[in-house]
Amino acid sequence: MSDIIKIKNLQKHFIANRSVIKVLNNININLKKGELVALMGPSGSGKSTFLHLISLLDTPTKGEIFIFGKKTQNISEKQKNLMIRNNISIIFQNNNLLSDFNSLENVAIPLIIRGEKYKSSTEKAAKILDKVNLGHRLKHFPSDLSGGEQQRVAIARSIASETNIILADEPTGNLDEKTSKEVFSYFLKLKKSKKTILIATHNRDIAKQADYTLRISNGNIKRSNA
């Protein structure tokens, strides 16, 4: 399998009250096509920071991130937005659905932004929502959906984006055990489509089903068996 994400000597430091807080130190990791990887570590260890760096929502203090062999440092904002749009989907714990749009519209948005027509975008979105068992919730707004349903809409949106990289930040953190298993089952289906998936989680049962685990501790990330 080829490297989809390559990280070299990655560091991230923050300055607070004139003190330097070192969150990540000299991280060297490669993620390959079709891998489903769990990212674990205690709260405040840097899991979200790491995901934000890979998703290009933040910039490293030092080091380099390559996506599909392309260096992401020092590129223009336009190039960065294009790289994100074409390659990366992000699923947050609070799902980041647009409250004024229904399920169908939330899933169709990436397609419309990409320049597809509204009708074809919504038709495709409806098919994807049906695949995640939400065909009966097309016209419902996020406030009308359960936490598990909202996360399935967020997953459907990432499917619609057709990106090869999916980053998920505690996507089952607010869900009960049964719903967590249900939501995670869709990530397993995405893995079969050869997507590269990185999931930050505290859930050991989820980590056990990943190909392997990356554990963050004291600014370092080490690969281990789930």
Side-chain angles (χ1 to χ4, degrees):
M1 291 186 290
S2 58
D3 293 334
I4 301 300
I5 300 170
K6 188 172 185 178
I7 296 168
K8 296 176 63 177
N9 302 317
L10 185 71
Q11 298 182 29
K12 184 62 180 180
H13 304 161
F14 294 99
I15 297 177
N17 297 323
R18 298 183 180 180
S19 298
V20 177
I21 301 172
K22 297 181 179 181
V23 180
L24 298 171
N25 296 314
N26 293 319
I27 307 300
N28 290 279
I29 287 170
N30 297 343
L31 298 178
K32 299 182 182 298
K33 182 177 181 179
E35 287 185 332
L36 193 160
V37 180
L39 178 65
M40 300 192 76
S43 296
S45 60
K47 295 189 300 297
S48 294
T49 297
F50 186 56
L51 290 181
H52 287 171
L53 290 169
I54 296 176
S55 64
L56 308 185
L57 297 178
D58 197 0
T59 55
T61 304
K62 290 183 180 179
E64 298 174 331
I65 299 172
F66 297 85
I67 294 178
F68 288 98
K70 295 181 179 179
K71 188 175 179 179
T72 62
Q73 273 63 43
N74 302 319
I75 61 175
S76 69
E77 199 66 26
K78 182 178 180 180
Q79 289 173 315
K80 182 183 293 185
N81 291 335
L82 193 62
M83 185 173 285
I84 294 171
R85 189 178 74 187
N86 292 337
N87 298 301
I88 304 169
S89 292
I90 311 163
I91 300 172
F92 297 95
Q93 183 173 343
N94 62 0
N95 61 70
N96 273 24
L97 299 179
L98 299 173
S99 60
D100 294 333
F101 293 82
N102 62 34
S103 301
L104 186 68
E105 293 165 335
N106 264 287
V107 175
I109 283 172
L111 303 171
I112 295 169
I113 290 175
R114 208 158 56 203
E116 296 188 27
K117 292 182 179 179
Y118 181 85
K119 183 179 179 181
S120 62
S121 296
T122 52
E123 287 175 350
K124 184 175 182 179
K127 290 179 181 178
I128 294 171
L129 282 164
D130 191 53
K131 288 181 180 179
V132 297
N133 297 323
L134 286 175
H136 61 300
R137 294 292 217 175
L138 302 183
K139 300 297 183 180
H140 288 72
F141 291 86
S143 59
D144 301 321
L145 304 174
S146 69
E149 287 173 332
Q150 290 178 28
Q151 282 298 53
R152 279 188 277 156
V153 173
I155 291 171
R157 184 173 58 189
S158 72
I159 295 171
S161 299
E162 296 182 334
T163 61
N164 288 306
I165 299 168
I166 297 174
L167 307 174
D169 194 357
E170 297 283 359
T172 63
N174 291 329
L175 307 178
D176 59 59
E177 184 179 355
K178 180 177 180 295
T179 309
S180 293
K181 290 180 179 178
E182 180 184 84
V183 166
F184 185 70
S185 70
Y186 294 104
F187 287 105
L188 293 175
K189 291 178 182 178
L190 288 170
K191 171 182 163 55
K192 292 180 180 179
S193 301
K194 300 300 181 183
K195 306 292 185 184
T196 300
I197 305 167
L198 180 60
I199 301 178
T201 182
H202 288 291
N203 191 315
R204 292 183 182 277
D205 290 333
I206 285 177
K208 287 177 182 178
Q209 297 180 72
D211 293 321
Y212 59 89
T213 299
L214 295 175
R215 296 185 184 276
I216 299 184
S217 178
N218 299 319
N220 299 308
I221 299 181
K222 293 183 179 180
R223 175 171 169 165
S224 68
N225 293 329

